[in-house]
Amino acid sequence: MSGTPDIWGGIECSVVRVGDTVRNQLHDTGHLWRRDDIALIAGLGLKTVRYPVLWEMVEQQRGRMDWRWTDERLGELRKFGIAPIAGLVHHGSGPVWTNLLDPEFPEDLAAYAASVAARYPWLEMYTPVNEPFTTARLCGLYGLWHPHTRDEQVCFRITVAECRATALAMKAIRRINPHAKLVQTEDFGRIYSTPPLAEQAEYENERRWLSIDLLTGRVTESHPFYRRLIAAGVDGAHLEDLQAEPAVPDIIGIDYYLTSDRVLDHRLELHPDEPVGGNGRTTYVDIAAVRSDLPRHKTGLQGRLAEIWERYGLPIAVTELHNGCTRDEHVRWLMEGWRTAKAACENGIDVRAVTSWSLFGAQDWNSMLTRQDGYYECGAFDARYVPPQPTIVARAISHLAQAGEFDHPVLDRPGWWHRAETRQEDSRPIVLAGFERLASVIEECCSHRRLRVVPAGSVKEPAVLFERHDAWAVIRIEHRPPLVEKRSGAAALVLHCMFAEGGDLSLELPAQPDLKDFAHTFLDLMIDSRNGHLRCLEPPRSAIMNGIVGPAHQAGAGSYKADSAA
């Protein structure tokens, strides 16, 4: 294969039950109420978006359909020429009147899918169940979501039920629209280990393929997990049905995060803050491979794309790519994934698209939705603002949609997850003029974010600094009359940035600020190319995706919200 993959977008739309609480990410991020979000998506130039048509929202009472929200949103997408990939269940258990262990769950989801296809016959792409095996692990093996069990056999039963539901749903949809396509998503992260856990890693590496093996009819009596499924209580007739009428994905979607590849490590003393698990023989921790000191042989998206292609030979899309971190690290992760997918195409792997996930952000994924802490992480748009404000990721998506490439000075250096350092001198710098304590804090924050800073001492004419250092931005620390009435007219400390490409940004320091947090907020706004005179509001809780942030940002970075001072 050759060519350039498409760029897709996606809306974080998980609806999960945690105890007696139902977590709905559409509610938590505000997308549920913002109709104008569709116009923002269209403005990026996206032509395909993973979008919720959620069973839990439409059929809250059995047999009573409420299509008002989906009618409005799908109508808007159609008006803008955006093709939705309709997600029917996203990590959920279905409406409250059913659940993943309900014997009728597969048939009930299929009935709902038929209703969706009948009402929207123009829909061409579906994901009836997002990440079946990943959901089964989180619900049945790790006990985080309903039904909150920690039993591999329950995990297996849920996996088969979800795959049967997917197969029956696609069969029902295709009775109405024979050309409908299945875009089947899953997290295919590979498991690595220290030597004593090699057997456990091998077992889990085979197990991760279970959902796609089921859908492609591969789970016959010779399959390594066939006997385990039967022993777990799976009806053999259901496996035979999947063999006889497989639901082969038209596109296999890989959802890939910094936390996807894992390491099982028996050296507990090296990881005192990690939860300890085991397999009955050995105790160990399960950590992200990017946090391990083990050699990273074949880690990363490149290896996962090659494995999927070798095993199935079916078209692939990267259906979730997101890094809830500082803006620079977020866009580095997106562009690294894009370039990896593009290289895979050039090497003969049929990669159709890369999806920038969580266009309007996500909330509380640092605790896998088990706590309600308000930990918000930005996507292409920062939904803490009204209307949501575009970030550098939005700019990158727009460029990728139009030209297939994007460049920015923060991309001169790799993300923190790469141990090998590039020469700082090879990256385009920020010039920092001033001697305040805040200048030292900004330098420290830039260092941790791998942003090159050139101190300029006393303030000079910006034009001179741009020319002398070939800088993309010049930061000055200034004392000004306050931008808003406060502090009895006392001079305010203001960070001011001028951009080489034109425009400028000013941000007034709040009373009693956290200097490091303030500096990170300013850097995020700079990288987003925000312009104008802004002031900081009280900081909300900042967001850290699955605990994966750069070494500098453990307390959260850039959590102040800036607002116009006009």
Side-chain angles (χ1 to χ4, degrees):
M1 301 293 168
S2 61
T4 300
D6 293 331
I7 183 73
W8 293 351
I11 308 294
E12 171 51 44
C13 57
S14 299
V15 176
V16 303
R17 301 183 214 173
V18 182
D20 296 328
T21 302
V22 176
R23 296 298 305 270
N24 185 332
Q25 287 286 281
L26 296 175
H27 173 281
D28 291 347
T29 62
H31 180 67
L32 188 64
W33 299 286
R34 293 191 308 265
R35 177 176 179 171
D36 290 345
D37 282 0
I38 305 300
L40 294 176
I41 294 171
L44 298 176
L46 291 171
K47 296 302 180 184
T48 304
V49 172
R50 293 184 63 192
Y51 203 79
V53 186
L54 295 175
W55 189 19
E56 291 93 340
M57 290 176 57
V58 173
E59 196 178 3
Q60 295 183 33
Q61 298 181 49
R62 188 177 192 125
R64 298 184 62 180
M65 305 294 194
D66 183 351
W67 300 102
R68 288 174 295 177
W69 190 85
T70 52
D71 282 351
E72 176 187 272
R73 297 308 175 91
L74 293 182
E76 284 289 294
L77 288 168
R78 195 178 190 191
K79 180 180 78 174
F80 283 110
I82 300 172
I85 302 173
L88 307 187
V89 175
H90 197 100
H91 284 317
S93 305
V96 294
W97 47 265
T98 187
N99 63 78
L100 293 170
L101 294 174
D102 183 341
E104 297 180 359
F105 178 88
E107 288 77 11
D108 287 341
L109 178 58
Y112 172 68
S115 298
V116 173
R119 192 170 186 88
Y120 312 111
W122 51 273
L123 286 177
E124 292 289 339
M125 293 181 284
Y126 288 84
T127 302
V129 178
N130 175 65
E131 296 184 5
F133 182 61
T134 301
T135 299
R137 285 190 293 123
L138 293 168
C139 294
L141 188 58
Y142 306 150
L144 298 177
W145 304 333
H146 184 80
H148 298 290
T149 62
R150 297 186 177 185
D151 184 332
E152 188 181 50
Q153 293 194 337
V154 174
C155 171
F156 286 154
R157 294 201 298 274
I158 290 174
T159 304
V160 174
E162 290 176 308
C163 290
R164 287 188 63 234
T166 297
L168 292 174
M170 291 309 301
K171 186 175 182 180
I173 290 166
R174 286 168 174 158
R175 290 194 191 103
I176 298 166
N177 180 0
H179 303 294
K181 293 180 172 58
L182 171 60
V183 180
Q184 186 54 63
T185 59
E186 192 61 272
D187 183 328
F188 297 100
R190 186 173 180 84
I191 312 299
Y192 301 86
S193 74
T194 51
L197 291 162
E199 185 178 342
Q200 181 68 27
E202 182 180 359
Y203 173 82
E204 294 188 25
N205 278 324
E206 187 62 36
R207 189 181 65 182
R208 67 189 161 130
W209 304 112
L210 188 55
S211 62
I212 308 300
D213 280 1
L214 284 163
L215 290 171
T216 52
R218 295 179 174 217
V219 183
T220 64
E221 292 186 7
S222 61
H223 190 277
F225 279 85
Y226 181 88
R227 293 183 182 277
R228 288 184 179 272
L229 294 176
I230 297 299
V234 171
D235 189 333
H238 292 162
L239 299 180
E240 291 175 6
D241 289 343
L242 287 168
Q243 295 167 32
E245 294 186 86
V248 178
D250 296 280
I251 296 175
I252 295 178
I254 173 173
D255 296 347
Y256 193 73
Y257 292 85
L258 275 170
T259 52
S260 290
D261 290 338
R262 313 294 299 177
V263 166
L264 308 181
D265 194 332
H266 72 287
R267 300 169 299 171
L268 305 185
E269 68 280 2
L270 297 182
H271 311 284
D273 298 326
E274 296 290 339
V276 177
N279 56 12
R281 302 184 302 276
T282 307
T283 55
Y284 54 85
V285 295
D286 178 340
I287 62 173
V290 293
R291 291 293 192 193
S292 172
D293 63 350
L294 296 182
R296 298 183 187 175
H297 179 59
K298 293 185 178 180
T299 60
L301 180 60
Q302 178 182 358
R304 304 298 74 75
L305 292 173
E307 286 182 315
I308 296 167
W309 181 247
E310 181 179 359
R311 189 176 183 95
Y312 299 108
L314 295 170
I316 304 168
V318 182
T319 39
E320 290 183 21
L321 200 64
H322 176 72
N323 179 18
C325 196
T326 56
R327 300 291 205 276
D328 38 291
E329 300 291 26
H330 191 169
V331 76
R332 285 167 181 158
W333 181 247
L334 173 64
M335 291 308 303
E336 181 176 316
W338 172 263
R339 290 165 181 163
T340 298
K342 192 174 179 180
C345 287
E346 293 168 354
N347 289 329
I349 298 175
D350 187 0
V351 180
R352 301 291 176 88
V354 172
T355 306
S356 181
W357 188 243
S358 299
L359 289 177
F360 296 95
Q363 189 160 295
D364 287 335
W365 274 96
N366 63 310
S367 65
M368 303 302 287
L369 306 181
T370 59
R371 298 195 308 269
Q372 298 187 53
D373 295 332
Y375 269 66
Y376 175 75
E377 57 200 57
C378 294
F381 296 91
D382 187 340
R384 294 176 297 176
Y385 296 86
V386 180
Q389 291 295 302
T391 69
I392 188 176
V393 174
R395 192 174 173 188
I397 292 170
S398 182
H399 278 258
L400 292 175
Q402 294 174 24
E405 195 48 80
F406 175 67
D407 181 51
H408 190 279
V410 302
L411 298 172
D412 290 347
R413 303 186 74 189
W416 66 264
W417 51 94
H418 289 286
R419 292 173 184 165
E421 284 280 353
T422 55
R423 291 197 333 143
Q424 191 178 64
E425 295 76 14
D426 295 334
S427 57
R428 289 163 282 185
I430 299 166
V431 173
L432 177 60
F435 295 101
E436 305 278 352
R437 161 67 180 147
L438 184 54
S440 298
V441 173
I442 292 171
E443 279 196 76
E444 179 187 352
C445 292
C446 286
S447 175
H448 288 306
R449 293 169 70 151
R450 299 189 176 193
L451 302 173
R452 182 185 170 201
V453 173
V454 176
S458 60
V459 177
K460 300 179 177 67
E461 284 296 321
V464 174
L465 297 176
F466 280 122
E467 183 177 355
R468 178 176 298 171
H469 300 286
D470 193 24
W472 66 274
V474 172
I475 299 174
R476 294 183 296 176
I477 302 170
E478 304 174 347
H479 291 272
R480 295 182 181 176
L483 298 176
V484 292
E485 294 297 328
K486 64 178 182 178
R487 290 188 273 186
S488 303
L493 194 61
V494 175
L495 278 178
H496 180 257
C497 172
M498 294 188 68
F499 299 103
E501 62 184 22
D504 65 278
L505 165 70
S506 293
L507 188 63
E508 182 180 334
L509 201 71
Q512 298 180 331
D514 178 325
L515 289 182
K516 183 175 289 188
D517 207 353
F518 175 77
H520 280 306
T521 296
F522 185 75
L523 291 171
D524 280 347
L525 293 169
M526 272 182 53
I527 292 168
D528 288 344
S529 298
R530 286 287 296 274
N531 277 260
H533 301 288
L534 306 177
R535 61 187 174 90
C536 274
L537 306 180
E538 287 301 312
R541 291 183 181 272
S542 55
I544 306 171
M545 177 66 178
N546 293 336
I548 294 298
V549 292
H553 321 315
Q554 297 297 342
S559 62
Y560 281 100
K561 177 183 172 182
D563 197 8
S564 172

